């Protein structure tokens, strides 16, 4: 993103955009699916949202960074917490979300479903 990169508004929204795995683009390059952000009546920047599957990968990578190790190396209780967090963020509404999470956690799809069902029954 080169246009308006020094704009205080762009600086303010960039951490949120990065956390979503989105991309900043100049407003005049915005596509129909991009979100144009205006400030004080002027279009300042557009946000190009990632595909949902890319967002899930981004979320998983961020969780690994936060935990300081691969999610597959976590203990069972920590993996259950990860699944609860991901469920709250809508990760399992993404096509192949359970498979993607199971792979990242180093468990089977069946185990992820068990973690989800355990949460609902408590």
């Amino acid at each position: 993103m080169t246009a308006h990169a020094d704009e205080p508004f762009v600086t303010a929204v960039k951490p949120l955009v990065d956390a979503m795995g989105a991309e900043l683009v100049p407003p005049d390059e915005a596509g129909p699916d991009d979100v144009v952000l205006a400030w004080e009546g002027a279009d300042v920047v557009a946000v190009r949202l990632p595909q949902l599957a890319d967002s899930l990968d981004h979320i998983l990578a961020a969780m690994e960074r936060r935990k300081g190790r691969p999610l597959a190396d976590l203990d069972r209780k920590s993996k259950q917490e990860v699944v609860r967090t991901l469920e709250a963020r809508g990760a399992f509404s993404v096509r192949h979300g359970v498979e993607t999470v199971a792979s990242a956690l180093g468990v089977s799809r069946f185990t992820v479903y068990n973690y989800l069902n355990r949460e609902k029954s408590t």
Side-chain angles (χ1 to χ4, degrees):
M1 164 86 215
T2 53
H4 303 289
D6 59 346
E7 179 82 33
F9 179 75
V10 173
T11 301
V13 300
K14 187 163 179 10
L16 176 62
V17 170
D18 290 345
M20 294 185 316
E23 175 186 359
L24 295 172
V25 296
D28 59 341
E29 294 178 19
D33 294 331
D34 296 335
V35 179
V36 178
L37 302 177
W39 184 253
E40 297 180 347
D43 292 345
V44 178
V45 69
V47 178
R48 182 159 295 150
L49 300 171
Q51 297 298 312
L52 285 175
D54 294 339
S55 292
L56 180 54
D57 290 338
H58 188 81
I59 290 167
L60 289 167
M63 291 182 96
E64 279 194 346
R65 282 192 303 276
R66 226 173 291 126
K67 300 282 186 185
R69 58 184 157 156
L71 297 177
D73 292 348
L74 299 175
D75 62 31
R76 191 173 121 252
K77 184 177 180 198
S78 296
K79 288 179 182 182
Q80 290 170 336
E81 290 172 8
V82 166
V83 168
R84 279 194 299 275
T85 300
L86 291 170
E87 182 180 27
R89 294 185 73 177
F92 301 110
S93 64
V94 176
R95 185 168 182 200
H96 302 297
V98 171
E99 292 87 347
T100 301
V101 171
S103 177
L105 293 175
V107 299
S108 69
R109 289 181 349 197
F110 180 75
T111 298
V112 172
Y113 284 119
N114 278 341
Y115 292 167
L116 290 167
N117 290 332
R118 175 174 289 119
E119 180 63 20
K120 288 178 174 72
S121 65
T122 57

